[in-house]
Amino acid sequence: MTTNAHPSTERLQQLNRMYRTISRCNRYMIRAEDEQTLAQDFCSVMVEEGGYRMAWVGYAESDEARSIRPIAYAGLESGYLENLNLTWADTDRGSGPGARCIREQTIQVTRDIANDPQFVFWREEAAKRGYASSIALPLKIGAGTIGFLGMYSERGDAFDEEEIGLLTEAADDLAYGITALRKHREHDALQERHLTQIEALNRLMDATVQALATTVEVRDPYTAGHHRRVAKLAVAIATEMRLPPERIEGLQLAAVLHDIGKIHVPAEILASPRKLTAAEFEIIKTHPTVGYDILKDIDFTNPVARIVLQHHERLDGSGYPAGLKQEQILLEARILCVADVVEAMASHRPYRPGLGVPKALHEISEHKGQMYDSDVVSACVGLFQSKQFEL
């Protein structure tokens, strides 16, 4: 058996180093958080593990000079590459392997730097640093090339086909990692813009809701603050009952808007200092339906319009406008009903003074399970008696 039948020990060692290098690069790629750090890790591994004198990554800029921007390097003093004013333009200064790699989107191998005419601008500096051969591999994303991964070796003609194949795999892995990071960054940016838009829409929605509610208060100054106090109590009851946050949010909107239908009721009825006639009360009873008609086409994520429509329904069917019973009434509407009754009884009205919270709690407790939901009443009473809730 001749010694030529097997690769040399040195060659085996070099290939083993390359396999270790590729493996380590892949580990860095998995946990990379930004592309510059990823590129720097690749360059460092190429020098420390792969045994190259220098490694660097250059990005192709789209500026007028078609600059090559170094984003990472290892085995080289800081600032050297930045001061070279590198370009990938098809000029004398753009004749180097990195520039050709970008323009032609192909691997560029320089086997003898000392005698390669295309290295004329950098030959002296390369000789000072002991570079004998080099390779530049394109970083391809989609149909384009964003830059290259370059390595310099102290050995002449250092890059054979097998090593070029392994380095091509490394460059492809780096390009894949950069692509993944950019997509992740774009996704994060898109998500952040989306969240910003949602926040802006929510602020607009809140402002619109408050404006609508205030419109009713302007027409009925005797109930100023009613919708805010009802909303406060309704949310507290729902929280006590451990409703999911999204349902509590819908209930809060409905509570703020529950009397919006009173915009249809004549102001003289709203502010009447005497007990309403049967005909006037029939007009008042239209406000849940009017409110529903105003809100039904707004794309709320919760059944806000239906909650408003049902907030005067009673479990025994004695409420209005539809005489619904028991589970026919949304839980949020049952909560709003109790909060509305308590606030209305406790507060001053033009036709009577406020009756106070104790009488209001007595009213809902007396009709608990009959007109008002038992769980809702228990939560409401508990808020005032055990947790010192204040309207």
Side-chain angles (χ1 to χ4, degrees):
M1 185 180 294
T2 64
T3 56
N4 292 333
H6 299 281
S8 66
T9 301
E10 182 182 351
R11 183 63 186 141
L12 280 173
Q13 290 174 343
Q14 175 64 15
L15 288 175
N16 281 334
R17 282 200 303 271
M18 282 307 305
Y19 283 118
R20 289 197 303 270
T21 299
I22 299 298
S23 176
R24 192 170 161 194
C25 284
N26 286 336
R27 290 199 298 273
Y28 279 124
M29 186 173 67
I30 291 170
R31 62 173 183 259
E33 294 185 359
D34 63 83
E35 57 188 87
Q36 185 169 9
T37 301
L38 175 62
Q40 185 59 56
D41 287 339
F42 265 63
C43 291
S44 297
V45 171
M46 289 296 170
V47 171
E48 296 165 8
E49 194 77 56
Y52 297 106
R53 292 278 290 195
M54 195 268 274
W56 72 294
V57 173
Y59 276 4
E61 298 292 282
S62 299
D63 56 2
E64 187 176 350
R66 293 190 173 185
S67 305
I68 296 176
R69 177 168 60 92
I71 69 157
Y73 49 81
L76 187 67
E77 67 271 20
S78 177
Y80 171 70
L81 289 171
E82 290 86 348
N83 294 328
L84 290 181
N85 297 321
L86 298 168
T87 178
W88 59 278
D90 193 6
T91 63
D92 289 342
R93 289 193 64 83
S95 63
R100 297 198 311 275
C101 177
I102 292 170
R103 286 199 306 272
E104 300 172 18
Q105 301 188 38
T106 57
I107 298 170
Q108 299 293 321
V109 179
T110 304
R111 303 192 180 279
D112 183 9
I113 288 176
N115 296 297
D116 191 318
Q118 293 178 318
F119 237 92
V120 62
F121 282 101
W122 306 279
R123 185 175 297 147
E124 184 178 345
E125 292 296 331
K128 287 180 185 178
R129 290 166 173 78
Y131 306 154
S133 58
S134 73
I135 187 171
L137 304 110
L139 299 175
K140 296 180 179 179
I141 293 182
T145 297
I146 65 165
F148 66 90
L149 170 63
M151 264 77 66
Y152 289 79
S153 175
E154 61 188 359
R155 295 179 293 114
D157 200 15
F159 305 96
D160 62 18
E161 287 189 12
E162 193 167 9
E163 190 161 344
I164 290 172
L166 290 170
L167 290 172
T168 299
E169 182 182 337
D172 289 345
D173 287 345
L174 177 56
Y176 176 83
I178 291 170
T179 301
L181 287 167
R182 289 186 176 183
K183 286 183 177 179
H184 184 70
R185 188 175 63 204
E186 289 171 4
H187 173 76
D188 286 349
L190 182 63
Q191 189 173 40
E192 186 174 347
R193 286 197 299 273
H194 182 60
L195 289 174
T196 300
Q197 291 170 348
I198 289 175
E199 289 172 0
L201 286 172
N202 284 339
R203 288 195 297 271
L204 179 60
M205 175 70 76
D206 289 343
T208 303
V209 166
Q210 291 299 329
L212 287 169
T214 302
T215 301
V216 176
E217 286 192 350
V218 169
R219 299 186 70 246
D220 185 10
Y222 289 101
T223 60
H226 168 68
H227 73 272
R228 285 186 288 271
R229 291 190 292 272
V230 169
K232 178 183 174 184
L233 178 54
V235 167
I237 294 171
T239 303
E240 189 76 5
M241 295 177 67
R242 299 184 178 179
L243 263 66
E246 61 274 14
R247 292 184 69 178
I248 294 177
E249 181 181 351
L251 172 60
Q252 183 175 32
L253 282 173
V256 171
L257 292 170
H258 74 280
D259 277 342
I260 186 64
K262 286 184 178 178
I263 198 169
H264 181 70
V265 178
E268 56 270 22
I269 294 179
L270 292 176
S272 176
R274 56 172 174 77
K275 186 175 180 179
L276 299 179
T277 65
E280 289 171 334
F281 187 58
E282 287 302 314
I283 294 175
I284 287 285
K285 286 169 64 175
T286 65
H287 80 272
T289 304
V290 174
Y292 173 79
D293 289 339
I294 292 172
L295 300 172
K296 66 182 180 181
D297 294 326
I298 299 177
D299 190 19
F300 294 109
T301 55
N302 294 278
V304 173
R306 287 178 59 209
I307 298 170
V308 169
L309 178 64
Q310 296 178 4
H311 79 277
H312 275 291
E313 300 288 356
R314 300 292 183 262
L315 296 186
D316 59 3
S318 63
Y320 60 86
L324 301 180
K325 294 183 178 182
Q326 300 292 336
E327 299 301 320
Q328 293 177 318
I329 308 168
L330 293 171
L331 175 57
E332 290 90 336
R334 284 176 260 155
I335 294 172
L336 179 54
C337 166
V338 168
D340 190 32
V341 168
V342 170
E343 199 289 327
M345 288 187 65
S347 300
H348 176 77
R349 288 295 180 267
Y351 50 86
R352 61 150 174 85
L355 301 177
V357 170
K359 283 194 175 182
L361 297 182
H362 176 75
E363 160 67 20
I364 61 173
S365 298
E366 188 177 17
H367 298 287
K368 175 181 176 180
Q370 177 190 354
M371 295 172 63
Y372 310 114
D373 185 285
S374 295
D375 293 336
V376 176
V377 171
S378 296
C380 181
V381 172
L383 283 171
F384 285 97
Q385 293 184 348
S386 302
K387 299 191 175 181
Q388 291 75 50
F389 181 85
E390 294 182 1
L391 283 173

